[in-house]
Amino acid sequence: MIESRHVGAGAVMKIDGTVAASWGDIDSPVMARSAIKPLQAIPLVESGAAERFSLSDMHLSLACASHNGEPRHVEAVRAWLSRVGLSEADLECGAHAPGRLPVYEAFLRSGAALTAAFNNCSGKHTGFLTTAVHKGEPTHGYIRRDHPVQQRLLGVYEQLAQCDLSRAPMGTDGCGIPTIGVPLRHMALAMANMANPARLPEARVTAIRRIRAAMNAEPFYMAGTGRFCTRINGTLAGVAQIKTGAEGVYCAMLPTLGLGVALKIWDGTARASEVALAAILRHLGVLSDAQFDAAVTPPVLNVVGLKVGDIRPAASWLGAASR
Amino acid sequence: MIESRHVGAGAVMKIDGTVAASWGDIDSPVMARSAIKPLQAIPLVESGAAERFSLSDMHLSLACASHNGEPRHVEAVRAWLSRVGLSEADLECGAHAPGRLPVYEAFLRSGAALTAAFNNCSGKHTGFLTTAVHKGEPTHGYIRRDHPVQQRLLGVYEQLAQCDLSRAPMGTDGCGIPTIGVPLRHMALAMANMANPARLPEARVTAIRRIRAAMNAEPFYMAGTGRFCTRINGTLAGVAQIKTGAEGVYCAMLPTLGLGVALKIWDGTARASEVALAAILRHLGVLSDAQFDAAVTPPVLNVVGLKVGDIRPAASWLGAASR
């Protein structure tokens, strides 16, 4: 018996704007949330800020991360802020406790105070601040829609997604920055342009290649212990760079295929978005059957460790049914 | 912009088997999970076990509970086990940490060892054990399908739901007991028969009335701090008794109307099942508009406390569209 079902949509796009594969409605607006953090890291590199402050793959991975707030994440963010002459007081993302129980337990046992560096978005925010410092912009208010940091991001998204965002629905993300409703077709096109940036200006191409390499090289800093983003980015170096977003979104860049992927589970559930992304990657031959099974078919265990179910993609999300 | 959507089904039934209101597919099997714990508490009272061991409303509420594992829950379960000559070692539900961060934090700070009494189902299991002790049945293996405890529950569910469960799909619940696929039409009929048990044998009527009264009288023990079940059961004494279940299920007994309610959100999400239940209760006049707003429309806040959205029932779940 199937106990629960999730319904979603996904787009696999080429840079010429054609659909390589799709599932469901790819024309309604979807807020990418954190799934486009790699795109939002472009100005950090492109501006020269990353070079000026000698940022490593670890820093760039953190700029793209929704991290667990593990000690290594938090310490790296603090050291980075210090390197650019700032502190946690400059972060405008707010503080939230680590959501995963083992990380939360370790945090409590450490006796540390909860600060904004623990926020899963603290690396992205530190990247924004670093760019602002480098460009001599005010750091205060960098999350506001009219701040140059956010205006630049809007411009990058518009260019890569190849759509006019002036009338797109706008919301506010969990960490305070604007989030924009964009059809999956265009979100995936933005990912295709990151997978195959050949048509873009040289500085942007270089920035994108550096960000992609960092995601594969330092996957722990993308997410953390036990996380799907960390596992897949660590396994598929050079082949795929993936990023989750709140409310059931996933994006992927597939440079060897020159394809971009974006998907949304309409109910917003991560357990389904991970399986859907893995199904697409298998369909495209990026994950082998064995890698797919290892990635997404661990049994559902009950409290005493008995297998009581599993989580599977629907037949329509498997290879043959792509349309 | 609507960011995420949940789809579900719900049935409101009368004891004559007619549908008072429904939404979506009410004929596919649904596992009630914890939503029928009040029904599963019937043998505890009906058998005379509750009277023999002088169980109070607190104990009966715990028998119906998916509790937070707060100290009062855990201590009450331990004292109850002791009263019937057993201990936590007899619980077969396993131990899981409190899932809510503030409760988990208090647990860690207390230095207490994690035991089966913390399991959200520990009250239900203690009720099962109490009935087994009272009837002189083996306590070991009380979660197994062939144990008299589970066979009795199957019989109660069959009688109240008015359907043959011999071929119903069977699974294993998170706490190890069998869980059975039953159409919402029949799950809601079971709730109607608990709301208006007039047609049932006297001992069962008495048991059901005691359980319903305990749910309203001791709502903290049904769930705990901040929980929807605790709020609604505490607010609607005599009018409604509600119980959540894993994977997006909710059940309600409405004795003043003689109606039973069962609903399932197909994706299994509690944020939606609570809103759907509240929408049905408002449609039926059980919740006033003001109570509905207080119950389900708190804004969605981001990390820094800014309102970024809200959670609302779809128009089709509001009064006029019932069909």
Side-chain angles (χ1 to χ4, degrees):
Chain A
M1 178 181 151
I2 294 171
E3 183 169 29
S4 297
R5 297 163 194 269
H6 303 275
V7 179
V12 183
M13 298 292 291
K14 302 179 194 176
I15 58 167
D16 65 4
T18 60
V19 177
S22 78
W23 295 261
D25 166 20
I26 62 170
D27 293 306
S28 295
V30 168
M31 286 174 172
R33 308 292 288 266
S34 290
I36 55 161
K37 278 176 176 168
L39 180 153
Q40 293 171 323
I42 290 173
L44 173 66
V45 183
E46 191 179 54
S47 67
E51 191 178 357
R52 171 167 159 198
F53 292 107
S54 305
L55 300 185
S56 67
D57 284 345
M58 177 193 77
H59 297 103
L60 297 187
S61 181
L62 273 173
C64 302
S66 298
H67 64 70
N68 283 349
E70 296 180 61
R72 286 160 66 198
H73 300 122
V74 174
E75 287 154 21
V77 166
R78 286 181 179 151
W80 178 4
L81 283 163
S82 171
R83 189 183 291 197
V84 300
L86 299 174
S87 76
E88 290 181 76
D90 296 292
L91 293 173
E92 297 179 359
C93 51
H96 68 76
R100 306 198 147 217
L101 286 190
V103 180
Y104 184 60
E105 177 171 350
F107 159 72
L108 289 174
R109 293 200 190 283
S110 75
L114 187 64
T115 64
F118 285 89
N119 189 308
N120 78 86
C121 301
S122 66
K124 176 185 72 179
H125 281 248
T126 302
F128 293 163
L129 283 165
T130 300
T131 308
V133 167
H134 176 65
K135 294 187 83 76
E137 295 158 0
T139 54
H140 183 71
Y142 70 89
I143 63 172
R144 288 207 307 256
R145 194 163 303 176
D146 56 358
H147 190 282
V149 161
Q150 301 305 329
Q151 288 295 310
R152 255 192 312 271
L153 294 181
L154 198 62
V156 173
Y157 202 7
E158 276 199 315
Q159 183 198 46
L160 298 191
Q162 293 172 226
C163 66
D164 173 14
L165 298 180
S166 60
R167 292 186 195 171
M170 288 266 188
T172 303
D173 212 337
C175 67
I177 71 164
T179 184
I180 309 159
V182 172
L184 289 173
R185 176 192 298 275
H186 288 279
M187 200 188 298
L189 184 53
M191 292 300 113
N193 276 313
M194 289 189 70
N196 176 7
R199 300 180 177 191
L200 304 177
E202 195 183 330
R204 189 152 288 184
V205 173
T206 306
I208 288 169
R209 289 194 175 138
R210 247 215 94 190
I211 291 162
R212 288 200 329 239
M215 292 171 72
N216 288 144
E218 294 285 5
F220 173 82
Y221 290 94
M222 287 290 300
T225 305
R227 293 275 301 276
F228 194 74
C229 275
T230 291
R231 269 200 326 271
I232 298 295
N233 284 320
T235 303
L236 299 175
V239 176
Q241 295 84 36
I242 73 168
K243 180 66 188 75
T244 189
E247 294 295 326
V249 180
Y250 240 110
C251 282
M253 298 161 256
L254 306 174
T256 54
L257 299 177
L259 298 173
V261 181
L263 69 87
K264 162 88 177 175
I265 303 299
W266 297 118
D267 59 61
T269 311
R271 71 177 178 188
S273 63
E274 292 179 357
V275 171
L277 180 67
I280 291 177
L281 295 183
R282 182 167 71 170
H283 169 65
L284 298 172
V286 171
L287 281 179
S288 68
D289 286 358
Q291 285 172 317
F292 174 83
D293 288 344
V296 307
T297 57
V300 176
L301 304 179
N302 75 359
V303 173
V304 296
L306 185 73
K307 181 186 167 179
V308 293
D310 49 28
I311 301 177
R312 293 181 209 164
S316 59
W317 280 74
L318 295 176
S322 170
R323 52 189 181 266
Chain B
M1 177 180 152
I2 293 171
E3 182 169 29
S4 297
R5 297 163 194 269
H6 303 274
V7 179
V12 182
M13 299 292 291
K14 302 179 193 176
I15 59 167
D16 65 4
T18 60
V19 177
S22 79
W23 294 262
D25 166 19
I26 63 169
D27 293 306
S28 296
V30 168
M31 286 173 172
R33 308 291 288 264
S34 290
I36 55 161
K37 279 176 175 168
L39 181 154
Q40 294 170 323
I42 290 174
L44 174 65
V45 183
E46 191 179 52
S47 67
E51 191 178 357
R52 171 167 158 199
F53 292 107
S54 305
L55 300 186
S56 67
D57 284 345
M58 176 192 77
H59 297 103
L60 298 186
S61 180
L62 273 173
C64 302
S66 297
H67 64 70
N68 282 350
E70 296 180 62
R72 286 160 67 196
H73 299 122
V74 174
E75 287 154 20
V77 166
R78 285 182 178 148
W80 177 5
L81 283 163
S82 170
R83 189 183 291 197
V84 301
L86 299 175
S87 78
E88 290 182 75
D90 296 292
L91 293 173
E92 297 179 1
C93 51
H96 68 77
R100 306 198 144 217
L101 287 191
V103 180
Y104 184 60
E105 177 171 346
F107 158 71
L108 289 174
R109 292 200 191 284
S110 74
L114 186 64
T115 64
F118 285 89
N119 188 308
N120 77 86
C121 301
S122 65
K124 176 184 72 178
H125 281 247
T126 302
F128 293 164
L129 283 166
T130 300
T131 308
V133 167
H134 176 64
K135 295 187 82 80
E137 294 159 0
T139 54
H140 184 70
Y142 70 89
I143 64 172
R144 287 207 308 257
R145 194 164 301 176
D146 55 358
H147 190 283
V149 161
Q150 301 306 329
Q151 288 296 311
R152 253 191 315 268
L153 295 181
L154 199 62
V156 173
Y157 202 6
E158 276 199 314
Q159 185 199 44
L160 298 192
Q162 292 171 227
C163 66
D164 173 14
L165 298 180
S166 60
R167 291 184 195 174
M170 287 265 188
T172 303
D173 213 336
C175 67
I177 71 165
T179 185
I180 309 159
V182 171
L184 289 173
R185 178 192 297 276
H186 287 280
M187 201 187 298
L189 184 53
M191 291 301 113
N193 277 311
M194 289 189 70
N196 177 7
R199 299 180 177 190
L200 303 177
E202 195 182 331
R204 189 152 289 183
V205 173
T206 307
I208 289 168
R209 288 193 175 137
R210 247 215 96 185
I211 291 162
R212 288 198 332 238
M215 293 171 72
N216 288 143
E218 293 285 4
F220 173 81
Y221 289 94
M222 287 289 300
T225 305
R227 293 275 301 278
F228 194 74
C229 274
T230 291
R231 270 200 326 272
I232 298 294
N233 285 320
T235 303
L236 298 176
V239 175
Q241 297 84 37
I242 73 167
K243 180 67 189 75
T244 187
E247 294 295 326
V249 181
Y250 241 109
C251 282
M253 299 162 255
L254 306 174
T256 54
L257 300 176
L259 297 174
V261 181
L263 70 87
K264 162 89 176 174
I265 302 300
W266 297 119
D267 59 60
T269 310
R271 70 179 178 187
S273 63
E274 291 178 358
V275 171
L277 181 68
I280 291 176
L281 294 182
R282 182 168 71 170
H283 169 65
L284 298 172
V286 171
L287 281 179
S288 68
D289 286 359
Q291 285 172 316
F292 174 83
D293 288 345
V296 307
T297 57
V300 176
L301 304 179
N302 75 358
V303 173
V304 295
L306 186 71
K307 181 186 168 179
V308 293
D310 49 28
I311 302 177
R312 294 182 207 161
S316 60
W317 279 75
L318 294 177
S322 168
R323 53 192 180 264

